[in-house]
Amino acid sequence: MDPSPKDGESAAAAEPSRAPSSGVVVQVREKKGPLRAAIPYMPFPVAVICLFLNTFVPGLGTFVSAFTVLCGARTDLPDRHMCCVFWLNIAAALIQILTAIVMVGWIMSIFWGMDMVILASKYS
């Protein structure tokens, strides 16, 4: 005689588990915050110059990239006004400059410049 399942157990738990079906497609989409989504899609040479500037003077390349938004560079924030995206880039540059003293801003600035180059390579 089989023992009956206890109150907390279900009948499904008694059955052996089945292997997951093959052929399942999983899509991963990166969710960007407003500062990161405000990075403009620039021409490749401009993005490389901004990376160079961010490497040696933290925040300077991000500051320069803010003005490319005013020149019509596209961002991942299409629903926001151009001036709002400009000020988001200025805020990112100020964060990089002010926290460069403790190396956080300098590292953030280099990664920001690398993101600019990656976006520029995807754009062209």
Side-chain angles (χ1 to χ4, degrees):
M1 179 172 189
D2 291 334
S4 62
K6 295 180 182 174
D7 293 335
E9 296 178 5
S10 66
E15 294 180 14
S17 62
R18 296 180 182 169
S21 63
S22 62
V24 177
V25 177
V26 177
Q27 181 179 3
V28 178
R29 191 177 312 162
E30 182 181 9
K31 183 178 179 186
K32 296 180 180 180
L35 280 179
R36 187 134 183 269
I39 298 174
Y41 290 83
M42 300 175 279
F44 191 77
V46 177
V48 171
I49 290 170
C50 288
L51 171 61
F52 180 78
L53 291 173
N54 271 349
T55 302
F56 294 105
V57 182
L60 184 60
T62 308
F63 185 76
V64 170
S65 74
F67 289 98
T68 64
V69 172
L70 296 178
C71 295
R74 188 175 59 85
T75 64
D76 288 332
L77 294 172
D79 55 334
R80 297 234 179 145
H81 193 267
M82 182 187 319
C83 290
C84 179
V85 177
F86 169 77
W87 287 112
L88 283 171
N89 278 295
I90 295 295
L94 288 175
I95 290 169
Q96 291 169 8
I97 291 167
L98 294 175
T99 59
I101 299 167
V102 291
M103 298 293 288
V104 173
W106 188 39
I107 294 167
M108 178 186 173
S109 185
I110 292 171
F111 279 111
W112 219 258
M114 289 171 32
D115 281 343
M116 289 178 200
V117 173
I118 290 168
L119 289 175
S121 66
K122 288 180 183 178
Y123 180 67
S124 59

